[in-house]
Structures are given as structure tokens and as C-alpha cells.
Amino acid sequence: MRYLVLSDLHAGLEAFESCLRAAEGKFDAAVCLGDVVGYGPDPNAVIDLLLRQKNSVVIRGNHDKACCGIASADDFNLWAKAATYWTRSVLREEHIAFLRELPPGPKVLPGFEMVHGSERDEDEYVMNAPAAMPILQEQQLQLVFFGHTHYQGGFFRDRTGASRRIGAGDMNDAGRDGRVLSVHLEDETRYLINPGSVGQPRDGDWRAAFAIYDDADRRIDFYRASYDLPKTQEKMAYAGLPEPLIRRLEIGK
Ligand code: ZN
């Protein structure tokens, strides 16, 4: 089985469409680690497109909860809060219902687990090795996919206890199809893997991020896909979304 692993789409339609084009023919099921909406200009269209993907499994993120009103946006900064209120005002009724019914992580699928933040807290940011190591030590399954940080890569720990981080410095553009890194899963090593953010990367690369996991080959391929960024930015400006949210997309921060 080949899984398209998506996270943090954040209502970025052009970014999402570009990922789907790059992944075409390469996956049998789509999994989404949350934050389908929030920040971006196309919450309804992104939910519609996600629902059209074959065998999709989706868990909720913190922005999904805030945008459908089951959590408050009080903890968000001013810009995120403004985007949340705007999203609430445009979401169609059936999409609010869809977001409300999204299950929280962790969600176990054959051979791996999905979480938004972490296994112990769906809203936890696992940003660095000190945060990741205790989680990897307790992790029951070999492979856990997480999102929330908007950084493509992740962490792993081998049987000797040695740990490693995979991040922007390990990615390279040698692959013409947009593949920036392949990781082969090794026995007795545990992996905490972030496919990166589709709609609002923060790892210094503006391009949309995703991953494909092939459980027969025991391989994870990380990808980056260019998309029509000016089009997304124009829509955000037209919607009156905060300027800093528009600008950050072009620097990937
Ligand atoms: Zn997010």
C-alpha cells in the first residue's frame, strides 16, 4: 500500500492541487494529519478536494477545531485569530459539520500511527530532538506521522539509542520529480516523521510539502512541489486576510 501523507493544508488550494499533480499515480490512499483549514483563502474547496481523494483518512488539527467553533481561538496570535474568524464566516454548513466530526489523533492504521502534534497531546509542537526523544522512547509502533510544526523531516532513534534529526539540510533537489529525500525504514529503529506543510511551510522552503510512504518497500519519500503562489496571495488579499500571512508564504516561514 502506498500512502500519500499530507498535513497542514491550511486552505491552500493551489498548493494542494500541485501536491496532487506531483503525487498522481504514486499512491493508493491519502492520510491527512490535520489543519485542513485556517490561514488560507480556500477552506471549502480544499475540504471538497480532500474528500474526493481515494481512501482518505483525516484527523483534526488545532485550526480545524478553532475554525468549526469547538475550540476557542483565544490562544492564537492576532493574525491567526483574524484568519480563524474569516474562515468561520465563509465555511459552508456541511464543511463545519465535517470539521466538527473529525477524530482527534492518535489514529492507528496498519503499520503506523497518525497524530497532529504528538501521541500524548494533539496540540504539542515537536520542534527539536530534546522534545522528540522521550516520545520516541515511549513510542509503541515503529512509525508515527506527525504535523503541526510545518517542518518537513522528523526524528529517528535506533536500537543503540542513537538519535538523528532529518531536516531542511538533508533535502536536495536532485530528483526531477520533486522528490527531495528518501528514507528507508530499518529494523529496530523508531521513526517520527513529518511530511511538512502543504499550505504554509515554515522550514525556509516556500514550496508545498508532502510525503509518500510505501509500506511494501518500507520507504518514505519526501517531496516539494512548486505552485501558483501569486494566485493564492491575490485571493488572500481579496479576502482581506492579514498581510503578514500573505507575505510569509513566499519565504516559507
Ligand atoms: Zn498547522
Side-chain angles (χ1 to χ4, degrees):
M1 190 85 161
R2 298 163 306 163
Y3 296 90
L4 170 62
V5 188
L6 303 164
S7 192
D8 300 280
L9 287 78
H10 284 296
L13 182 62
E14 288 72 31
F16 186 19
E17 286 173 335
S18 177
C19 292
L20 291 174
R21 274 194 298 275
E24 201 178 344
K26 297 190 175 88
F27 68 96
D28 312 297
V31 299
C32 173
L33 310 170
D35 280 2
V36 181
V37 300
Y39 293 129
D42 284 301
N44 290 303
V46 165
I47 293 174
D48 281 334
L49 190 54
L50 183 60
L51 290 174
R52 287 209 296 276
Q53 302 313 305
K54 48 194 169 186
N55 306 319
S56 60
V57 179
V58 186
I59 59 170
R60 71 187 187 187
N62 51 322
H63 286 261
D64 302 321
K65 285 188 284 182
C67 288
C68 70
I70 58 172
S72 89
D74 291 350
D75 295 346
F76 288 0
N77 67 38
L78 277 182
W79 307 324
K81 218 179 269 182
T84 301
Y85 297 142
W86 178 83
T87 304
R88 282 182 189 171
S89 76
V90 298
L91 269 175
R92 294 209 305 268
E93 217 36 66
E94 73 264 30
H95 290 156
I96 292 173
F98 163 78
L99 294 171
R100 285 201 167 145
E101 282 155 27
L102 282 178
K107 169 118 188 146
V108 178
L109 293 185
F112 66 93
E113 186 177 81
M114 305 160 60
V115 299
H116 184 61
S118 76
E119 198 171 86
R120 61 191 179 192
D121 178 357
E122 62 178 321
D123 297 333
E124 178 180 6
Y125 286 95
V126 183
M127 293 297 297
N128 48 39
M133 285 319 126
I135 295 171
L136 281 164
Q137 270 166 31
E138 284 169 28
Q139 190 171 307
Q140 297 299 310
L141 288 172
Q142 184 188 23
L143 176 61
V144 173
F145 288 108
F146 74 108
H148 196 38
T149 65
H150 300 207
Y151 277 69
Q152 190 177 45
F155 309 91
F156 57 87
R157 182 179 190 275
D158 69 19
R159 71 168 160 260
T160 68
S163 58
R164 234 200 100 194
R165 178 184 185 152
I166 317 162
D170 302 296
M171 310 293 172
N172 75 69
D173 276 317
R176 288 210 188 134
D177 61 350
R179 187 157 32 114
V180 290
L181 183 73
S182 291
V183 171
H184 292 266
L185 301 188
E186 284 163 28
D187 291 342
E188 295 180 69
T189 301
R190 291 180 205 156
Y191 298 83
L192 199 49
I193 296 291
N194 191 326
S197 168
V198 172
Q200 196 203 70
R202 295 177 191 162
D203 50 10
D205 185 339
W206 68 274
R207 297 172 301 170
F210 66 96
I212 289 177
Y213 169 49
D214 185 325
D215 66 358
D217 282 358
R218 298 172 56 69
R219 195 180 80 237
I220 296 162
D221 292 327
F222 293 96
Y223 285 83
R224 295 309 274 242
S226 302
Y227 68 96
D228 191 345
L229 176 65
K231 188 172 174 185
T232 305
Q233 290 178 311
E234 272 168 35
K235 290 192 213 172
M236 291 175 79
Y238 184 74
L241 285 160
E243 182 70 15
L245 296 182
I246 300 173
R247 293 274 80 87
R248 71 185 299 178
L249 292 183
E250 62 206 37
I251 52 170
K253 288 284 183 193

